[in-house]
């Protein structure tokens, strides 16, 4: 360029993908795709417990007729509950509704929270799953999906006549792969994008305001609000912070509340997990005399663990096949050199085979990285 604009670099192949995606998005406007009978949509929203912004979003999605639609769901606004009503409307009208997400954990939450049968974007594309002109494809956490994946889904919809609903928030965690597609699709659709705006998660008004400030990039004001309300502890030495965090974690755990330590680095997480197990052992809350080692880490009954790899071929304690997801959490009930049984947070007793354990796909879960 001949002026002082920033020079950006990209691959020609990616630029071609981006142009095609945005052209297909623009061409999808007003195509009459997925318009639902007003009586079905109105009855579903009336019978639900949706707030005004949620009901408006549902009616916007079901009446606009765009092949590609976008719903922005800010943190705490009840996105999954809203999607459950969208699913109900389309299924009542005879459509199939499928869910896709960047991760297996997000896909499972779409199943549990909205009743939408879901899988990962990668699996859907690799297995070349079929969609038709009466399929609604809901892509959750679209802000974390790579450009090529989103483009492939929109292209599939354009070919078959299906409707795609992209759901997410581009001001939360970003994509790992080549990104920016979700934000660009929003810009292309403009005021046809629907948005959930009412925070239903934070209990205090100041918290809701601080979260809005953080989302808008006003970090200083948000941080000041948390400091003013006693939510931030500062120290000069990282070791002091670790000690304070561990003490607070142990006290909170003793009160019966669910508690999790978060850190920015994996090395810091390993340190906190190691110290947490030591504290529990010293308090008599964890018996490590019979612990078993896998992939350099030691485990015993009562340990809290997190799974690090999707695997479709594990099983329940009853013998029934069971698919585990990256990010699943649980408490070990029994462990031996051959297998580990844990009660996961959804209540199932899952048996992990030695081959899964020896690959290091299980880790302690007293602390976790913020991104995970």
């Amino acid at each position: 360029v001949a002026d002082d604009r920033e020079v950006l670099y990209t691959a020609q192949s990616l630029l071609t993908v981006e142009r095609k995606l945005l052209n297909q998005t623009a061409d999808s406007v007003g195509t009459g795709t997925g318009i639902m009978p007003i009586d079905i949509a109105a009855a579903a929203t009336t019978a639900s417990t949706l707030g005004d912004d949620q009901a408006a979003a549902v009616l916007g999605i079901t009446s606009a007729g765009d092949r590609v639609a976008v719903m922005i769901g800010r943190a705490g606004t009840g996105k999954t509950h809203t999607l459950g009503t969208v699913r109900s409307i389309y299924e009542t009208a005879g459509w199939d509704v499928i869910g896709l997400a960047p991760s297996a954990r997000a896909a499972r939450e779409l199943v549990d929270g909205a009743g939408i049968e879901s899988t990962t974007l990668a699996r859907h594309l690799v297995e070349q799953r079929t969609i038709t002109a009466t399929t609604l494809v809901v892509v959750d956490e679209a802000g974390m999906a790579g450009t090529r994946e989103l483009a492939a889904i929109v292209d599939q919809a354009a070919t078959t006549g299906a409707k795609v609903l992209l759901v997410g928030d581009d001001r939360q965690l970003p994509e790992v792969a080549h990104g920016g597609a979700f934000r660009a699709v929003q810009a292309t659709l403009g005021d046809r994008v629907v948005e959930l705006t009412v925070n239903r998660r934070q209990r205090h008004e100041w918290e809701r305001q601080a979260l809005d400030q953080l989302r808008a990039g006003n970090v200083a004001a948000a941080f000041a609000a948390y400091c003013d309300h006693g939510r931030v502890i500062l120290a000069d030495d990282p070791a002091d912070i670790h000690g304070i965090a561990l003490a607070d974690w142990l006290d909170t755990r003793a009160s019966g509340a669910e508690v999790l330590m978060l850190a920015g680095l994996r090395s810091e997480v390993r340190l906190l997990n190691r110290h947490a197990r030591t504290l529990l052992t010293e308090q008599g809350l964890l018996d490590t005399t019979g612990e078993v080692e896998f992939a350099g880490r030691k485990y015993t009954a009562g340990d809290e663990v997190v799974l690090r790899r999707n695997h479709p071929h594990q099983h329940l304690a009853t013998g029934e096949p069971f698919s585990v997801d990256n990010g699943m959490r649980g408490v070990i009930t029994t462990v031996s050199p051959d297998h580990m049984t844990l009660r996961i947070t959804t209540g199932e007793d899952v048996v992990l085979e030695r081959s899964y354990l020896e690959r290091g796909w299980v880790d302690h879960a007293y602390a976790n990285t913020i991104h995970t």
Side-chain angles (χ1 to χ4, degrees):
V1 293
D3 55 32
D4 60 354
R5 288 179 297 175
E6 182 181 5
V7 179
L8 303 177
Y9 298 85
T10 187
Q12 184 63 53
S13 59
L14 182 60
L15 191 61
T16 300
V17 169
E18 292 171 345
R19 284 173 174 160
K20 183 178 181 180
L21 167 63
L22 297 184
N23 287 337
Q24 288 177 327
T25 299
D27 292 342
S28 79
V29 172
T31 54
T33 307
I35 296 178
M36 292 291 100
I38 189 62
D39 56 333
I40 294 178
T45 53
T46 301
S48 71
T49 57
L50 297 176
D52 291 344
D53 63 323
Q54 295 170 318
V58 170
L59 294 175
I61 292 165
T62 57
S63 64
D66 301 337
R67 178 169 294 117
V68 179
V70 168
M71 183 174 78
I72 300 174
R74 301 183 186 188
T77 54
K79 172 191 64 177
T80 306
H81 180 46
T82 305
L83 289 176
T85 303
V86 172
R87 172 195 57 77
S88 174
I89 292 170
Y90 277 89
E91 287 182 345
T92 300
W95 281 52
D96 296 320
V97 181
I98 66 170
L100 303 175
S103 68
R105 179 65 184 272
R108 187 178 292 270
E109 289 179 358
L110 197 55
V111 175
D112 296 339
I116 300 174
E117 287 302 315
S118 305
T119 188
T120 62
L121 283 159
R123 176 167 291 180
H124 173 83
L125 294 172
V126 167
E127 296 180 356
Q128 299 181 340
R129 298 189 177 192
T130 302
I131 61 176
T132 70
T134 55
T135 302
L136 171 64
V137 182
V138 178
V139 182
D140 197 14
E141 303 293 355
M144 296 181 68
T147 294
R148 295 183 189 277
E149 291 176 319
L150 286 188
I153 298 301
V154 170
D155 185 54
Q156 188 181 21
T159 302
T160 61
K163 184 179 181 71
V164 175
L165 173 58
L166 305 180
V167 183
D169 186 359
D170 60 291
R171 299 188 185 184
Q172 294 186 39
L173 289 176
E175 311 90 338
V176 175
H178 303 295
F182 183 60
R183 184 182 294 111
V185 169
Q186 286 182 55
T188 301
L189 293 177
D191 59 7
R192 303 181 77 85
V193 172
V194 300
E195 184 170 5
L196 305 180
T197 57
V198 178
N199 186 326
R200 296 166 172 85
R201 182 180 300 157
Q202 269 63 35
R203 291 177 294 176
H204 304 296
E205 178 59 28
W206 75 264
E207 286 183 293
R208 292 189 284 269
Q209 291 177 357
L211 192 62
D212 286 342
Q213 290 169 331
L214 190 64
R215 184 178 182 275
N218 192 353
V219 178
F223 185 69
Y226 281 101
C227 289
D228 291 344
H229 289 84
R231 298 292 185 87
V232 178
I233 294 173
L234 299 170
D236 293 326
D237 188 343
D240 293 340
I241 284 292
H242 293 156
I244 295 168
L246 284 158
D248 285 348
W249 168 81
L250 192 61
D251 288 344
T252 307
R253 178 187 172 97
S255 72
E258 186 175 355
V259 58
L260 174 66
M261 291 182 285
L262 298 176
L265 303 176
R266 284 178 290 181
S267 58
E268 198 171 20
V269 166
R270 287 193 293 269
L271 176 69
L272 290 170
N273 275 325
R274 187 166 64 248
H275 286 326
R277 292 187 84 241
T278 299
L279 286 173
L280 292 176
T281 303
E282 291 173 351
Q283 296 275 334
L285 301 173
L286 193 67
D287 183 3
T288 59
T289 55
E291 60 188 6
V292 180
E293 183 173 327
F294 295 104
R297 298 186 185 92
K298 296 180 179 180
Y299 302 95
T300 188
D303 259 326
E304 297 177 17
V305 296
V306 60
L307 308 189
R308 295 301 193 196
R309 186 65 59 95
N310 302 332
H311 201 284
H313 303 304
Q314 301 303 307
H315 61 274
L316 300 178
T318 58
E320 181 183 354
F322 188 78
S323 178
V324 299
D325 298 335
N326 179 19
M328 273 186 172
R329 300 170 61 85
V331 177
I332 298 175
T333 54
T334 61
V335 60
S336 74
D338 296 322
H339 67 274
M340 176 189 294
T341 303
L342 58 145
R343 174 73 55 85
I344 60 175
T345 53
T346 50
E348 293 93 345
D349 290 313
V350 178
V351 179
L352 300 176
E353 297 298 336
R354 182 184 179 91
S355 58
Y356 187 94
L357 301 168
E358 287 184 334
R359 287 181 169 88
W361 293 345
V362 176
D363 199 359
H364 298 113
Y366 306 107
N368 222 327
T369 63
I370 294 167
H371 196 284
T372 298

